[in-house]
Amino acid sequence: MKAAQYAGNKSFNVVDGAKVPPAEGEVCLQVGYTGICGTDMHIYHGVMDQRVSIPQIIGHEMSGTVVEVGAGVTDYAVGDRVVVRPLDYCGDCPACNAGHSHVCHNLKFMGIDSPGAFQSYWTVKARTLHALPDNVSLKQGALIEPLSVACHDVARTRLQAGEKALVIGGGPIGQLVALVAKSVGAEVMISEVSEARLKFAAERGVKTVNPVTDDIEAVVKEWTGGKGADAVFEVSGVAAAVETMTKVAAVRGRICMVAIHSQKPQVDLFQFFWKELELLGARVYESADFEHAIELVASGKIDVDSFISSVTSLNDIGTAFASMDNNPAGMKALVECN
């Protein structure tokens, strides 16, 4: 049993540990692969040191196999291949009682607020699990969590076939949002400044625009016949994108705020009045989003294999994080935990 503990100052300690026996309603998983996400990189850079209890095992984009089952667990058995929806909700607050446990008033995010998946074995509540079909590999399974984010974002906008969607920001989540939007039959364009990421999007049949070299308002106007985008996804987290999103949206367009903005941006509220726009928040995902993501991968509608930039062993987790830090064009680095 090995565990990688974030130790602060861009460092990890790989230590020996012991499997935690599953209590009632819990299962113990042998972790297959865990992905490095943007939040993990924020932790790596020390941005979240006040929230993370150092030393802490982080990581939440994972796949694994059930090796032990606690009392009362009937939906899963030893040998089942699964992914974890890493939300620990209270079940008894106004949000939970309204059926919105993903935005629970007391929500704990596993891998940030509690130990995560960068370890050989991880004991979690059975209610967080989703089963993987036989034709979805453990490597692909580690991409289900970020794909679920994209599924939730697209669902929030009520995007329909034939509509046009603009995704501002072509990182891993932005690219996945674009592919989920395409899967419902929408026409999609990504706005991104990185030529490598623009190339990645174009190779997957997504239209692209570079706001540094192109007039994005003019491009979107021409693309939509003067209407504007039916749905806009702000995934970049930069102030310029917030200014752009209201300008390029159609009358009664829907804007989904996916990115987390560290600074309070200025929003052109006049455009919301003038064009009757909607601004929709989107935080993590719901159970249905995980099932949708699994179906998209299992059916071959979305190829997540092409998102995997590297696979590193748990012993070399520090190298994996440093490599991602120096490769902003990289999409998804996986850490093999067994």
Side-chain angles (χ1 to χ4, degrees), residues 6-336:
Y6 166 67
N9 195 29
K10 295 186 179 181
S11 65
F12 289 87
N13 296 323
V14 179
V15 300
D16 293 324
K19 287 191 294 184
V20 177
E24 184 176 356
E26 295 182 341
V27 299
C28 180
L29 307 176
Q30 182 183 58
V31 181
Y33 297 90
T34 303
I36 298 174
C37 86
T39 302
D40 296 324
M41 292 305 300
H42 285 312
I43 294 172
Y44 177 71
H45 285 122
V47 176
M48 301 175 70
D49 280 0
Q50 291 182 337
R51 178 174 173 183
V52 176
S53 300
I54 300 172
Q56 174 75 292
I57 303 169
I58 63 172
H60 57 272
E61 299 181 355
M62 63 78 65
S63 62
T65 306
V66 177
V67 292
E68 289 184 61
V69 175
V73 176
T74 58
D75 294 336
Y76 298 94
V78 172
D80 286 350
R81 298 158 61 256
V82 298
V83 294
V84 170
R85 178 166 38 92
L87 306 180
D88 190 7
Y89 51 89
C90 74
D92 193 30
C93 68
C96 288
N97 290 333
H100 309 308
S101 62
H102 68 297
V103 285
C104 166
H105 293 201
N106 306 299
L107 187 69
K108 302 296 183 184
F109 199 99
M110 299 156 63
I112 301 175
D113 303 309
S114 61
F118 284 125
Q119 55 181 320
S120 304
Y121 295 90
W122 193 22
T123 298
V124 301
K125 293 176 181 176
R127 72 183 187 184
T128 67
L129 301 184
H130 292 264
L132 289 177
D134 291 340
N135 67 333
V136 176
S137 71
L138 288 179
K139 282 184 180 179
Q140 292 170 327
L143 275 294
I144 294 298
E145 193 271 356
L147 181 56
S148 300
V149 172
C151 289
H152 187 65
D153 300 337
V154 173
R156 289 288 288 144
T157 65
R158 311 181 302 280
L159 191 65
Q160 302 292 317
E163 291 190 313
K164 287 184 166 65
L166 175 69
V167 181
I168 305 176
I173 296 298
Q175 301 280 353
L176 289 170
V177 167
L179 294 184
V180 174
K182 278 193 66 181
S183 76
V184 304
E187 296 182 52
V188 189
M189 178 181 289
I190 279 183
S191 171
E192 170 59 48
V193 299
S194 163
E195 290 299 328
R197 289 180 169 179
L198 289 171
K199 182 174 181 289
F200 187 90
E203 289 172 348
R204 281 143 193 84
V206 177
K207 295 181 182 294
T208 62
V209 58
N210 187 331
V212 174
T213 59
D214 301 312
D215 182 340
I216 187 171
E217 290 182 65
V219 170
V220 172
K221 185 176 182 179
E222 180 180 2
W223 176 48
T224 61
K227 178 184 178 183
D230 299 292
V232 180
F233 299 87
E234 204 305 85
V235 198
S236 69
V238 298
V242 175
E243 182 176 351
T244 297
M245 70 186 190
T246 55
K247 293 179 179 179
V248 298
V251 167
R252 289 206 167 182
R254 291 96 65 199
I255 299 172
C256 184
M257 183 56 65
V258 180
I260 300 173
H261 285 258
S262 56
Q263 303 291 328
K264 292 182 180 180
Q266 287 191 330
V267 180
D268 187 354
L269 293 179
F270 177 80
Q271 293 294 331
F272 284 85
F273 156 75
W274 195 248
K275 294 193 285 187
E276 292 196 345
L277 300 177
E278 292 181 57
L279 180 61
L280 301 159
R283 181 180 172 194
V284 291
Y285 26 61
E286 299 178 72
S287 178
D289 300 311
F290 262 72
E291 293 301 318
H292 186 197
I294 291 169
E295 186 276 327
L296 287 173
V297 175
S299 65
K301 292 178 182 177
I302 291 184
D303 171 25
V304 293
D305 289 302
S306 60
F307 279 77
I308 300 173
S309 306
S310 63
V311 180
T312 309
S313 72
L314 187 62
N315 285 329
D316 294 324
I317 188 171
T319 301
F321 269 80
S323 296
M324 283 300 291
D325 207 21
N326 295 319
N327 180 25
M331 286 294 156
K332 187 58 59 178
L334 300 186
V335 175
E336 188 173 6

